[in-house]
Amino acid sequence: MDDKFEIQSSTDENELCEQIKTACEFMEAVYANGHYLRVTVHRHWSKHNPEISGKIARPKAYRWYLRRELLKLARRGAKIAIEKSRPRVDLNSPGLLKTIDESDFDMTRKKVFMFGPERSELSIKRLEHYTGTLAEDFQRYVLLTNYNMHMEAFAETFPASTGSTETNVQMPTLHHIADDNRGISIVNIGVGPSNAKNLTDHLAVLRPDAMMMVGHCAGVRNHQEIGDFVLASGYMRADLILDESLPPSVPITPSFLLNRALAGTLDDLKLPYRIGAVYTTADRNWELSVSRTQNHLRASRSIAVDMESATVAANGFRYRIPNATLLCVSDKPLHGQPKLPSEAKTFYGETKRQHLRVAMTAIESIQSQYPDGLPNSDIRAPEEALLEGPDTTVDDCF
C-alpha cells in the first residue's frame, strides 16, 4: 500500500468525486493497518495561513463529514495531501492523558481538525461504550433527552431505527439512519449537567451538523401553563460545570436558524410557546433554596429552569456545533404546581409524541434548506480555520 495519496484538481465533477471516494478508502485502510493519517491542505486563496495540517483517527466514523469538506476544498482548487502518519497510540498507555490534555488547548489555533487523533479515538470509544451503538451509526442531527418516553416516541415514529445493542447501557440511543448520515439520532443522556457535558464532549468529535436538547422544565412566569413550550434565546449558566473552560461572561446563544425552524413549526401547529432565557442549575432540589434561586431568576429574566440546556449550549459553542433548546413546561413550583407523580405521569403521556414531532419537523425543515449543514460562522472565531471550504452547496455525488 502507498503511504500517500493526493487529490488532484479537476474540472470534471465525476472525477473529483471519485478521487474523494478513493481518498476516504485510503484513509480507512491506513488506519486499519495501525497508523493515524495526516491531512495537509494548501489553500492558495489564504494570504496569512495558506497551509494547514492535522492528524485524524477512525476516519470511517465520520466519513460523511470528510467527504463533504474535502470536496468543498477540492472544488475551490485546494491542494490536498493525505499520508500515513505515526503509529496509533495504545489507549491503555500511561502517557495517553498527556496527549489529550485540553487545559491549555487553543480552540482558535489554525488547524485542519479541531481534535487530535488520540482525543478522537478515546472519545469515539467512550461514546460507543455509553450508548451501546457504533459511532458510524450516529447521524448528522442529534436529539438529546433525559426521558425514556421520548425514546419510545422516537421508536414509534421510526420503527426501523438502529438501537443500543445492550440493555444496560448508560445512555440508550436510537438512530434513524439515512443515506450519507442525513438522518436523526436520539440519546437519553440522563439527568444533570455532568451527563450533558460528558456526552457532548465525546459527540463533538463526530462533527454533527446540529444537536438539540429536548427536555422538560419548570415554568417560572405567571402566564405559562403546563404543556407550554420554551425556546431558549440565552442561558443563565448556574450549572457551573464549564466555567473554567468557558468563562460565564461569554455570551451563549442558540442557533438562530434552528430556533427559527422550531418557532415556525410551533406556529404552524398552533402550539403555545415562549422565547427567553433558560436557567440551568446543577441542583435538582433548587426549590429548597428558593429565595436565592429567585434572585437569579429575576436578574437573568429567565422564563424556565432545567438542568442540561446551558451545558449543551456552552459545549456546542466551544466545539462549534449549532444547537438549540426545545423544552416543555412540566411543573410550576413557584406557583403551587410542583412536579408530583400522578400529574407528571399524565403530562408525560400527553406530550411525548407532540414534543418529538416539533423537534423532528424543525430538523426536517433545516435538512431541506441546508442540505450540507447549518452555516456556523457565528460560532467560529475570526482567525479560526477548520477543515471547511466556503459555505456553498455540495451536490450529492456519493
Side-chain angles (χ1 to χ4, degrees):
M1 177 189 295
D2 293 336
D3 290 344
K4 188 173 183 178
F5 182 89
E6 293 186 357
I7 298 173
Q8 304 295 329
S9 297
S10 174
T11 56
D12 186 298
E13 184 74 4
N14 292 330
E15 181 183 337
L16 201 53
C17 289
E18 191 62 32
Q19 285 192 66
I20 300 296
K21 179 181 177 182
T22 304
C24 288
E25 292 171 351
F26 170 78
M27 286 188 276
E28 290 167 16
V30 170
Y31 177 79
N33 285 333
H35 286 79
Y36 296 132
L37 286 305
R38 175 180 289 278
V39 178
T40 302
V41 180
H42 182 83
R43 306 169 303 159
H44 62 82
W45 61 85
S46 177
K47 179 179 179 180
H48 301 290
N49 294 276
E51 187 170 285
I52 53 177
S53 67
K55 300 184 185 72
I56 59 171
R58 190 80 177 264
K60 188 177 180 180
Y62 41 97
R63 183 174 185 170
W64 66 268
Y65 176 79
L66 292 171
R67 291 190 308 196
R68 184 180 76 186
E69 303 305 328
L70 290 174
L71 182 58
K72 283 183 181 180
L73 290 164
R75 277 179 171 166
R76 198 172 181 186
K79 294 181 180 179
I80 305 170
I82 304 166
E83 56 191 322
K84 181 172 73 174
S85 183
R86 54 187 168 79
R88 289 160 51 185
V89 172
D90 183 354
L91 296 183
N92 292 312
S93 169
L96 175 69
L97 295 184
K98 289 184 179 180
T99 68
I100 61 175
D101 187 357
E102 295 181 355
S103 300
D104 299 316
F105 190 46
D106 181 3
M107 289 290 186
T108 67
R109 181 175 56 85
K110 293 287 186 181
K111 49 190 174 291
V112 177
F113 300 101
M114 181 169 287
F115 304 102
E118 295 89 354
R119 164 72 151 87
S120 294
E121 196 151 34
L122 180 63
S123 283
I124 287 171
K125 290 289 187 183
R126 287 190 172 176
L127 193 65
E128 293 179 331
H129 168 70
Y130 290 128
T131 67
T133 65
L134 292 174
E136 288 82 352
D137 287 340
F138 268 85
Q139 302 298 291
R140 300 187 187 190
Y141 300 88
V142 183
L143 303 178
L144 309 178
T145 183
N146 46 28
Y147 287 99
N148 188 58
M149 63 177 175
H150 288 147
M151 307 297 292
E152 294 172 350
F154 190 90
E156 291 169 5
T157 305
F158 303 115
S161 297
T162 297
S164 302
T165 55
E166 300 176 12
T167 57
N168 61 343
V169 295
Q170 295 180 46
M171 297 182 178
T173 299
L174 292 170
H175 307 290
H176 171 52
I177 295 177
D179 291 343
D180 210 26
N181 294 71
R182 295 180 185 274
I184 303 174
S185 297
I186 185 170
V187 185
N188 184 345
I189 62 175
V191 176
S194 181
N195 280 352
K197 178 182 183 299
N198 185 14
L199 189 281
T200 52
D201 276 346
H202 302 314
L203 178 66
V205 306
L206 299 183
R207 311 313 302 149
D209 280 341
M211 60 185 182
M212 184 186 301
M213 184 67 211
V214 180
H216 292 155
C217 64
V220 297
R221 296 299 181 94
N222 290 333
H223 298 294
Q224 287 175 306
E225 302 293 341
I226 304 297
D228 286 1
F229 287 95
V230 168
L231 298 183
S233 60
Y235 304 89
M236 178 70 173
R237 291 170 52 196
D239 57 315
L240 309 178
I241 195 167
L242 285 166
D243 286 7
E244 290 189 10
S245 301
L246 187 67
S249 58
V250 175
I252 304 296
T253 58
S255 164
F256 169 75
L257 296 175
L258 278 173
N259 258 10
R260 186 171 67 179
L262 286 167
T265 301
L266 290 165
D267 287 335
D268 290 343
L269 296 173
K270 295 180 171 54
L271 295 173
Y273 67 97
R274 188 163 182 165
I275 299 177
V278 171
Y279 179 94
T280 296
T281 178
D283 184 2
R284 178 59 190 86
N285 296 314
W286 61 271
E287 302 100 318
L288 304 184
S289 54
V290 69
S291 296
R292 181 179 61 200
T293 302
Q294 279 184 306
N295 289 334
H296 293 165
L297 294 175
R298 291 191 188 98
S300 62
R301 313 294 198 272
S302 295
I303 62 172
V305 179
D306 87 332
M307 297 188 68
E308 298 85 19
S309 292
T311 314
V312 171
N315 246 4
F317 180 84
R318 289 177 69 215
Y319 296 133
R320 286 55 168 174
I321 303 172
N323 62 87
T325 298
L326 176 66
L327 303 178
C328 191
V329 176
S330 60
D331 55 295
K332 295 183 63 182
L334 301 183
H335 301 83
Q337 292 179 279
K339 187 178 291 186
L340 299 173
S342 58
E343 289 86 348
K345 186 175 181 180
T346 301
F347 166 77
Y348 294 158
E350 292 175 348
T351 64
K352 64 180 182 180
R353 291 177 184 83
Q354 186 181 72
H355 204 160
L356 261 291
R357 180 187 176 192
V358 173
M360 291 186 292
T361 301
I363 287 177
E364 288 169 1
S365 172
I366 289 294
Q367 289 172 321
S368 175
Q369 295 178 65
Y370 305 98
D372 298 306
L374 284 164
N376 64 1
S377 57
D378 58 331
I379 50 176
R380 290 171 58 191
E383 72 277 15
E384 177 181 18
L386 300 180
L387 175 65
E388 286 184 284
D391 288 330
T392 56
T393 300
V394 176
D395 296 328
D396 186 5
C397 63
F398 300 109

